[in-house]
Amino acid sequence: MDQNQLKKAAAEYAVRFVEDGMNLGLGTGSTVTYMVAALAKRAQDENMELTCVTTSSRTKRQAEGLGLRVVELNEVDRLDLTIDGADEIDANYQGIKGGGAAHTMEKIVATASDQVIWIVDESKMVETLGKFPLPVEVFDYGLTQITERLAEQGLNPVLRLDENKEPVRTHFKNLVLDLNVGQIADPHALADQLDHEVGLVEHGLFLDMVNKVIVGTPDGPKLIDHIR
Ligand SMILES: O=C[C@H](O)[C@H](O)[C@H](O)COP(=O)(O)O
């Protein structure tokens, strides 16, 4: 099975946790694309009433195009469940997200959710975070200075460029620095350090946030439950 088949299997498994009447957070990325397709089908087949909040314009377009009801986050009090992908998950179920530059919206939505499920293929599961560069969203204003400060801390920031060598922009029109930090032995310490960095909008460390992980494996989707 290739990586996309594993992603799809995990994504399709996840929609069983959706219940009629839920307020749902929908993440971003290739795995989420499979999930949104499966969700829309289930909602239609079972005539479910769902209210969805999206974490990118890509997901919004797809969800609305498939007939799901999408509202702004400010229009709901809480979300019952958010289903999202991840770039790396360690042995303690801490994650790195933001490979698609959507981590700021994703973190706000995850924080507003009672339950969070991550759907990944098995290549994303690691012992220790850090092989995947850690994304941080920053303003244009003060880019030179924040880049230098992060470099001084040994975090090796690299401005993310697209295929045309233009800077990647987030939903909020900000920039992304990818930090090449190597093995992140203490994710909480690094998150704390980044949380105190002036001009840093949000980083891609998602700590103590996930309740269930669904891992696509060649033997079928594996559910890791009761994480917190
Ligand atoms: O910014 C993007 C998100 O954090 C994605 O959830 C993450 O990059 C995983 O994406 P994919 O499912 O495409 O591997």
Side-chain angles (χ1 to χ4, degrees):
M1 273 175 124
D2 70 17
Q3 199 184 7
N4 283 326
Q5 288 170 305
L6 300 181
K7 287 180 179 188
K8 186 165 184 273
E12 289 176 349
Y13 188 94
V15 300
R16 73 189 57 204
F17 296 102
V18 175
E19 292 168 20
D20 194 19
M22 274 186 164
N23 288 345
L24 276 183
L26 308 181
T28 290
S30 54
T31 320
V32 166
T33 301
Y34 292 122
M35 187 277 293
V36 171
L39 176 69
K41 183 172 184 318
R42 180 159 174 233
Q44 193 170 35
D45 290 351
E46 299 179 29
N47 208 11
M48 292 170 105
E49 293 255 345
L50 302 173
T51 301
C52 303
V53 167
T54 53
T55 54
S56 64
S57 46
R58 280 167 280 167
T59 303
K60 185 170 193 244
R61 259 195 314 276
Q62 185 197 4
E64 285 181 336
L66 292 173
L68 290 165
R69 174 170 182 256
V70 177
V71 301
E72 293 299 317
L73 180 57
N74 286 335
E75 294 178 61
V76 295
D77 287 333
R78 291 284 305 163
L79 297 166
D80 297 294
L81 171 66
T82 287
I83 306 177
D84 202 349
D87 295 304
E88 235 177 34
I89 303 175
D90 77 6
N92 298 314
Y93 306 109
Q94 312 295 12
I96 289 181
K97 290 179 50 55
H103 60 279
T104 300
M105 286 176 90
E106 291 174 336
K107 200 183 274 191
I108 293 170
V109 165
T111 302
S113 299
D114 294 338
Q115 291 278 310
V116 174
I117 300 178
W118 285 342
I119 47 177
V120 292
D121 69 86
E122 60 182 359
S123 71
K124 309 279 187 72
M125 304 302 289
V126 298
E127 192 54 36
T128 308
L129 297 176
K131 210 160 106 198
F132 193 90
L134 174 62
V136 300
E137 176 166 351
V138 295
F139 297 118
D140 287 62
Y141 191 80
L143 175 68
T144 303
Q145 288 74 18
I146 196 167
T147 305
E148 203 174 292
R149 283 205 307 280
L150 293 170
E152 276 165 7
Q153 294 170 59
L155 300 175
N156 303 308
V158 177
L159 181 66
R160 191 183 296 180
L161 302 177
D162 64 17
E163 56 280 5
N164 302 317
K165 303 273 180 272
E166 291 297 323
V168 166
R169 294 278 167 185
T170 68
H171 180 83
F172 305 106
K173 308 278 180 263
N174 293 318
L175 301 165
V176 176
L177 295 173
D178 288 309
L179 307 182
N180 296 277
V181 291
Q183 298 242 307
I184 305 175
D186 187 346
H188 286 94
L190 180 57
D192 196 48
Q193 187 179 339
L194 296 173
D195 284 339
H196 286 92
E197 203 56 62
V198 173
L200 194 156
V201 179
E202 194 52 80
H203 58 78
L205 280 170
F206 281 51
L207 306 184
D208 307 320
M209 278 194 189
V210 74
N211 303 100
K212 297 183 200 325
V213 174
I214 300 167
V215 188
T217 81
D219 300 327
K222 182 177 145 204
L223 171 66
I224 304 163
D225 207 347
H226 307 297
I227 295 172
R228 53 184 61 84

